[in-house]
Amino acid sequence: LIECTFPHVKFRDVVLSKENESSLKRIVLENRRRSTLLEHGVQATRRLLFFGPPGCGKTLTARVLATELGLPLMTVRFDALFSKYLGATATHLRSIFNEMSRRPAVYFFDEFDAIGKHRSDSIDVGEVKRVVTS
C-alpha cells in the first residue's frame, strides 16, 4: 500500500516562490522544534494540502520536506489501495492512517482527488463512494 523512499532533495535544489519557500521552511522549523512548541501548548503544522496542475512540483515538494525533516517519504500507492471487494479499500485506508501513528514519516497521498471525491458525485458509484464516507 505504501512505497517508502529516502529522498535527497533539499530546498536549494528546487525553485520556489519566496512565499512558498518561507512557508515550507517555517513548517520544517516548527517540526524540528516540536517539543519546544508543545511546552507552550502549540502544535506544529502536520498536514498540508498541495494543489495544482500536473508538473507544478507537488511531489517534488513532498520529497524536499521529507529530506529536510530527515524522515522517509511514504507514498500511498493508489493502484494497491482500491479493491473490488466490499469494504477492503476503506480497510486499506484505515491501515495507512494507523501506520502514521506508529512510524514518523512524510505521508504523501499523490492524486488524492481519486479518493477525495464529494459524496454526492453522480458519476462515481460503488467502492469510491464508500471510501469517501470512511
Side-chain angles (χ1 to χ4, degrees):
L1 293 176
I2 300 174
E3 180 180 296
C4 179
T5 58
F6 296 88
H8 300 287
V9 184
K10 298 202 167 250
F11 280 118
R12 68 174 182 260
D13 299 326
V14 297
V15 177
L16 293 165
S17 70
K18 293 288 184 199
E19 181 183 351
N20 286 342
E21 182 175 8
S22 175
S23 295
L24 291 169
K25 284 184 175 181
R26 180 184 49 82
I27 290 166
V28 168
L29 185 60
E30 283 179 14
N31 281 277
R32 286 181 180 161
R33 297 183 178 170
R34 187 177 21 229
S35 59
T36 303
L37 288 174
L38 284 175
E39 289 174 8
H40 298 283
V42 178
Q43 290 278 344
T45 302
R46 297 183 57 215
R47 293 170 196 88
L48 299 170
L49 177 62
F50 299 139
F51 65 93
C56 73
K58 299 178 293 287
T59 303
L60 181 60
T61 302
R63 294 177 69 209
V64 168
L65 287 172
T67 300
E68 294 288 345
L69 290 169
L71 295 170
L73 177 65
M74 306 296 236
T75 303
V76 175
R77 294 185 45 228
F78 282 104
D79 60 322
L81 180 66
F82 288 100
S83 172
K84 64 182 178 180
Y85 298 107
L86 181 64
T89 304
T91 301
H92 291 158
L93 200 53
R94 193 173 314 109
S95 296
I96 292 166
F97 282 105
N98 288 339
E99 182 69 15
M100 289 177 178
S101 63
R102 289 191 297 267
R103 186 186 303 186
V106 171
Y107 287 83
F108 184 59
F109 289 78
D110 197 8
E111 305 299 334
F112 183 77
D113 57 336
I115 63 168
K117 302 230 179 224
H118 194 276
R119 289 182 199 196
S120 62
D121 188 346
S122 61
I123 297 172
D124 268 332
V125 294
E127 189 67 353
V128 173
K129 280 191 176 187
R130 287 186 289 276
V131 171
V132 171
T133 302
S134 297

mmCIF file of all heavy atoms in Angstrom, residues 81-82 89-90 93 97 112-121 124-134:
data_model
loop_
_atom_site.group_PDB
_atom_site.id
_atom_site.type_symbol
_atom_site.label_atom_id
_atom_site.label_comp_id
_atom_site.label_asym_id
_atom_site.label_seq_id
_atom_site.Cartn_x
_atom_site.Cartn_y
_atom_site.Cartn_z
ATOM 1 N N LEU A 81 -4.384 0.549 -3.283
ATOM 2 C CA LEU A 81 -5.378 0.987 -2.307
ATOM 3 C C LEU A 81 -6.780 0.495 -2.642
ATOM 4 O O LEU A 81 -7.500 -0.014 -1.795
ATOM 5 C CB LEU A 81 -5.371 2.515 -2.209
ATOM 6 C CG LEU A 81 -6.353 3.154 -1.246
ATOM 7 C CD1 LEU A 81 -6.007 2.792 0.192
ATOM 8 C CD2 LEU A 81 -6.351 4.660 -1.425
ATOM 9 N N PHE A 82 -7.168 0.624 -3.900
ATOM 10 C CA PHE A 82 -8.529 0.262 -4.296
ATOM 11 C C PHE A 82 -8.663 -1.242 -4.482
ATOM 12 O O PHE A 82 -7.774 -1.901 -4.985
ATOM 13 C CB PHE A 82 -8.921 0.985 -5.588
ATOM 14 C CG PHE A 82 -9.161 2.444 -5.371
ATOM 15 C CD1 PHE A 82 -8.189 3.367 -5.688
ATOM 16 C CD2 PHE A 82 -10.351 2.893 -4.826
ATOM 17 C CE1 PHE A 82 -8.391 4.718 -5.471
ATOM 18 C CE2 PHE A 82 -10.567 4.239 -4.605
ATOM 19 C CZ PHE A 82 -9.585 5.152 -4.932
ATOM 20 N N THR A 89 -11.181 -1.378 0.479
ATOM 21 C CA THR A 89 -10.482 -0.117 0.236
ATOM 22 C C THR A 89 -10.460 0.726 1.502
ATOM 23 O O THR A 89 -9.421 1.283 1.875
ATOM 24 C CB THR A 89 -11.131 0.655 -0.918
ATOM 25 O OG1 THR A 89 -11.157 -0.184 -2.079
ATOM 26 C CG2 THR A 89 -10.377 1.925 -1.231
ATOM 27 N N ALA A 90 -11.588 0.807 2.195
ATOM 28 C CA ALA A 90 -11.647 1.561 3.452
ATOM 29 C C ALA A 90 -10.730 0.929 4.497
ATOM 30 O O ALA A 90 -10.069 1.648 5.269
ATOM 31 C CB ALA A 90 -13.073 1.636 3.964
ATOM 32 N N LEU A 93 -7.213 1.976 3.681
ATOM 33 C CA LEU A 93 -7.029 3.370 4.069
ATOM 34 C C LEU A 93 -6.855 3.489 5.583
ATOM 35 O O LEU A 93 -5.987 4.215 6.069
ATOM 36 C CB LEU A 93 -8.226 4.190 3.585
ATOM 37 C CG LEU A 93 -8.059 5.686 3.456
ATOM 38 C CD1 LEU A 93 -6.858 6.062 2.613
ATOM 39 C CD2 LEU A 93 -9.324 6.298 2.863
ATOM 40 N N PHE A 97 -3.641 5.051 7.860
ATOM 41 C CA PHE A 97 -3.732 6.041 8.933
ATOM 42 C C PHE A 97 -3.225 5.476 10.259
ATOM 43 O O PHE A 97 -2.626 6.197 11.057
ATOM 44 C CB PHE A 97 -5.154 6.578 9.054
ATOM 45 C CG PHE A 97 -5.471 7.593 7.989
ATOM 46 C CD1 PHE A 97 -6.280 7.261 6.920
ATOM 47 C CD2 PHE A 97 -4.930 8.873 8.044
ATOM 48 C CE1 PHE A 97 -6.566 8.187 5.922
ATOM 49 C CE2 PHE A 97 -5.204 9.799 7.044
ATOM 50 C CZ PHE A 97 -6.018 9.464 5.993
ATOM 51 N N PHE A 112 -4.663 12.501 -4.710
ATOM 52 C CA PHE A 112 -5.690 12.332 -3.686
ATOM 53 C C PHE A 112 -7.097 12.526 -4.228
ATOM 54 O O PHE A 112 -8.052 11.956 -3.716
ATOM 55 C CB PHE A 112 -5.445 13.305 -2.525
ATOM 56 C CG PHE A 112 -6.414 13.130 -1.398
ATOM 57 C CD1 PHE A 112 -6.273 12.079 -0.507
ATOM 58 C CD2 PHE A 112 -7.467 14.008 -1.228
ATOM 59 C CE1 PHE A 112 -7.167 11.906 0.528
ATOM 60 C CE2 PHE A 112 -8.372 13.839 -0.196
ATOM 61 C CZ PHE A 112 -8.217 12.790 0.692
ATOM 62 N N ASP A 113 -7.223 13.319 -5.270
ATOM 63 C CA ASP A 113 -8.557 13.555 -5.830
ATOM 64 C C ASP A 113 -9.232 12.261 -6.285
ATOM 65 O O ASP A 113 -10.448 12.204 -6.429
ATOM 66 C CB ASP A 113 -8.509 14.569 -6.964
ATOM 67 C CG ASP A 113 -7.567 14.174 -8.082
ATOM 68 O OD1 ASP A 113 -6.625 13.395 -7.840
ATOM 69 O OD2 ASP A 113 -7.760 14.656 -9.203
ATOM 70 N N ALA A 114 -8.443 11.191 -6.455
ATOM 71 C CA ALA A 114 -9.029 9.906 -6.829
ATOM 72 C C ALA A 114 -9.917 9.367 -5.715
ATOM 73 O O ALA A 114 -10.885 8.651 -5.979
ATOM 74 C CB ALA A 114 -7.931 8.892 -7.145
ATOM 75 N N ILE A 115 -9.607 9.702 -4.434
ATOM 76 C CA ILE A 115 -10.463 9.249 -3.346
ATOM 77 C C ILE A 115 -11.162 10.407 -2.649
ATOM 78 O O ILE A 115 -12.126 10.199 -1.943
ATOM 79 C CB ILE A 115 -9.690 8.420 -2.298
ATOM 80 C CG1 ILE A 115 -8.601 9.246 -1.621
ATOM 81 C CG2 ILE A 115 -9.140 7.173 -2.903
ATOM 82 C CD1 ILE A 115 -8.021 8.583 -0.415
ATOM 83 N N GLY A 116 -10.692 11.619 -2.843
ATOM 84 C CA GLY A 116 -11.270 12.767 -2.174
ATOM 85 C C GLY A 116 -12.438 13.355 -2.930
ATOM 86 O O GLY A 116 -12.521 14.557 -3.109
ATOM 87 N N LYS A 117 -13.344 12.538 -3.355
ATOM 88 C CA LYS A 117 -14.500 12.995 -4.128
ATOM 89 C C LYS A 117 -15.630 13.413 -3.194
ATOM 90 O O LYS A 117 -15.657 13.069 -2.032
ATOM 91 C CB LYS A 117 -14.976 11.885 -5.049
ATOM 92 C CG LYS A 117 -13.909 11.407 -5.996
ATOM 93 C CD LYS A 117 -14.429 11.375 -7.377
ATOM 94 C CE LYS A 117 -13.329 10.904 -8.299
ATOM 95 N NZ LYS A 117 -13.231 11.656 -9.473
ATOM 96 N N HIS A 118 -16.591 14.100 -3.745
ATOM 97 C CA HIS A 118 -17.771 14.500 -2.991
ATOM 98 C C HIS A 118 -18.722 13.310 -2.896
ATOM 99 O O HIS A 118 -18.883 12.557 -3.858
ATOM 100 C CB HIS A 118 -18.447 15.682 -3.704
ATOM 101 C CG HIS A 118 -19.441 16.378 -2.862
ATOM 102 N ND1 HIS A 118 -20.738 15.939 -2.745
ATOM 103 C CD2 HIS A 118 -19.321 17.478 -2.069
ATOM 104 C CE1 HIS A 118 -21.383 16.747 -1.927
ATOM 105 N NE2 HIS A 118 -20.558 17.683 -1.499
ATOM 106 N N ARG A 119 -19.353 13.147 -1.747
ATOM 107 C CA ARG A 119 -20.262 12.012 -1.539
ATOM 108 C C ARG A 119 -21.379 11.927 -2.567
ATOM 109 O O ARG A 119 -21.818 10.853 -2.929
ATOM 110 C CB ARG A 119 -20.913 12.096 -0.168
ATOM 111 C CG ARG A 119 -19.999 11.827 0.947
ATOM 112 C CD ARG A 119 -20.765 11.899 2.237
ATOM 113 N NE ARG A 119 -19.827 12.078 3.333
ATOM 114 C CZ ARG A 119 -20.127 11.888 4.581
ATOM 115 N NH1 ARG A 119 -21.334 11.536 4.912
ATOM 116 N NH2 ARG A 119 -19.226 12.064 5.506
ATOM 117 N N SER A 120 -21.845 13.080 -3.006
ATOM 118 C CA SER A 120 -22.992 13.079 -3.928
ATOM 119 C C SER A 120 -22.570 13.099 -5.394
ATOM 120 O O SER A 120 -23.385 13.352 -6.259
ATOM 121 C CB SER A 120 -23.888 14.279 -3.629
ATOM 122 O OG SER A 120 -23.175 15.479 -3.847
ATOM 123 N N ASP A 121 -21.303 12.804 -5.678
ATOM 124 C CA ASP A 121 -20.826 12.768 -7.058
ATOM 125 C C ASP A 121 -21.621 11.715 -7.830
ATOM 126 O O ASP A 121 -21.551 10.525 -7.544
ATOM 127 C CB ASP A 121 -19.338 12.436 -7.082
ATOM 128 C CG ASP A 121 -18.720 12.561 -8.463
ATOM 129 O OD1 ASP A 121 -19.472 12.649 -9.452
ATOM 130 O OD2 ASP A 121 -17.481 12.589 -8.539
ATOM 131 N N ASP A 124 -19.489 8.796 -9.847
ATOM 132 C CA ASP A 124 -18.879 7.673 -9.146
ATOM 133 C C ASP A 124 -19.923 6.796 -8.484
ATOM 134 O O ASP A 124 -20.899 7.270 -7.938
ATOM 135 C CB ASP A 124 -17.923 8.171 -8.071
ATOM 136 C CG ASP A 124 -16.506 8.293 -8.588
ATOM 137 O OD1 ASP A 124 -16.171 7.551 -9.516
ATOM 138 O OD2 ASP A 124 -15.766 9.121 -8.060
ATOM 139 N N VAL A 125 -19.683 5.512 -8.525
ATOM 140 C CA VAL A 125 -20.544 4.553 -7.845
ATOM 141 C C VAL A 125 -19.668 3.559 -7.110
ATOM 142 O O VAL A 125 -18.493 3.422 -7.388
ATOM 143 C CB VAL A 125 -21.457 3.787 -8.836
ATOM 144 C CG1 VAL A 125 -22.444 4.724 -9.487
ATOM 145 C CG2 VAL A 125 -20.642 3.068 -9.880
ATOM 146 N N GLY A 126 -20.260 2.844 -6.168
ATOM 147 C CA GLY A 126 -19.580 1.729 -5.545
ATOM 148 C C GLY A 126 -18.514 2.095 -4.548
ATOM 149 O O GLY A 126 -18.697 2.933 -3.685
ATOM 150 N N GLU A 127 -17.377 1.445 -4.679
ATOM 151 C CA GLU A 127 -16.325 1.487 -3.688
ATOM 152 C C GLU A 127 -15.806 2.895 -3.400
ATOM 153 O O GLU A 127 -15.541 3.227 -2.259
ATOM 154 C CB GLU A 127 -15.184 0.559 -4.113
ATOM 155 C CG GLU A 127 -14.123 0.342 -3.064
ATOM 156 C CD GLU A 127 -14.590 -0.437 -1.838
ATOM 157 O OE1 GLU A 127 -15.776 -0.733 -1.698
ATOM 158 O OE2 GLU A 127 -13.739 -0.726 -0.985
ATOM 159 N N VAL A 128 -15.666 3.729 -4.410
ATOM 160 C CA VAL A 128 -15.136 5.073 -4.179
ATOM 161 C C VAL A 128 -16.071 5.863 -3.270
ATOM 162 O O VAL A 128 -15.624 6.560 -2.365
ATOM 163 C CB VAL A 128 -14.892 5.819 -5.509
ATOM 164 C CG1 VAL A 128 -14.500 7.266 -5.257
ATOM 165 C CG2 VAL A 128 -13.786 5.118 -6.294
ATOM 166 N N LYS A 129 -17.373 5.746 -3.450
ATOM 167 C CA LYS A 129 -18.314 6.444 -2.579
ATOM 168 C C LYS A 129 -18.188 5.946 -1.141
ATOM 169 O O LYS A 129 -18.273 6.727 -0.202
ATOM 170 C CB LYS A 129 -19.749 6.253 -3.065
ATOM 171 C CG LYS A 129 -20.101 7.174 -4.214
ATOM 172 C CD LYS A 129 -21.575 7.147 -4.474
ATOM 173 C CE LYS A 129 -21.890 8.146 -5.549
ATOM 174 N NZ LYS A 129 -23.319 8.326 -5.768
ATOM 175 N N ARG A 130 -17.979 4.661 -0.937
ATOM 176 C CA ARG A 130 -17.823 4.134 0.407
ATOM 177 C C ARG A 130 -16.529 4.636 1.040
ATOM 178 O O ARG A 130 -16.474 4.884 2.238
ATOM 179 C CB ARG A 130 -17.868 2.605 0.388
ATOM 180 C CG ARG A 130 -19.269 2.067 0.132
ATOM 181 C CD ARG A 130 -19.313 0.559 0.260
ATOM 182 N NE ARG A 130 -18.630 -0.122 -0.820
ATOM 183 C CZ ARG A 130 -19.165 -0.408 -2.003
ATOM 184 N NH1 ARG A 130 -20.401 -0.054 -2.258
ATOM 185 N NH2 ARG A 130 -18.487 -1.053 -2.906
ATOM 186 N N VAL A 131 -15.486 4.806 0.268
ATOM 187 C CA VAL A 131 -14.227 5.324 0.791
ATOM 188 C C VAL A 131 -14.387 6.765 1.229
ATOM 189 O O VAL A 131 -13.902 7.169 2.281
ATOM 190 C CB VAL A 131 -13.101 5.194 -0.263
ATOM 191 C CG1 VAL A 131 -11.857 5.933 0.180
ATOM 192 C CG2 VAL A 131 -12.778 3.736 -0.502
ATOM 193 N N VAL A 132 -15.085 7.576 0.445
ATOM 194 C CA VAL A 132 -15.319 8.968 0.809
ATOM 195 C C VAL A 132 -16.031 9.020 2.154
ATOM 196 O O VAL A 132 -15.694 9.811 3.024
ATOM 197 C CB VAL A 132 -16.117 9.701 -0.278
ATOM 198 C CG1 VAL A 132 -16.542 11.082 0.193
ATOM 199 C CG2 VAL A 132 -15.293 9.806 -1.554
ATOM 200 N N THR A 133 -17.017 8.168 2.347
ATOM 201 C CA THR A 133 -17.729 8.116 3.623
ATOM 202 C C THR A 133 -16.795 7.733 4.751
ATOM 203 O O THR A 133 -16.837 8.299 5.836
ATOM 204 C CB THR A 133 -18.905 7.135 3.534
ATOM 205 O OG1 THR A 133 -19.772 7.543 2.489
ATOM 206 C CG2 THR A 133 -19.677 7.070 4.837
ATOM 207 N N SER A 134 -15.921 6.769 4.511
ATOM 208 C CA SER A 134 -14.966 6.336 5.534
ATOM 209 C C SER A 134 -13.994 7.443 5.873
ATOM 210 O O SER A 134 -13.564 7.583 6.975
ATOM 211 C CB SER A 134 -14.172 5.128 5.049
ATOM 212 O OG SER A 134 -15.034 4.048 4.841
#
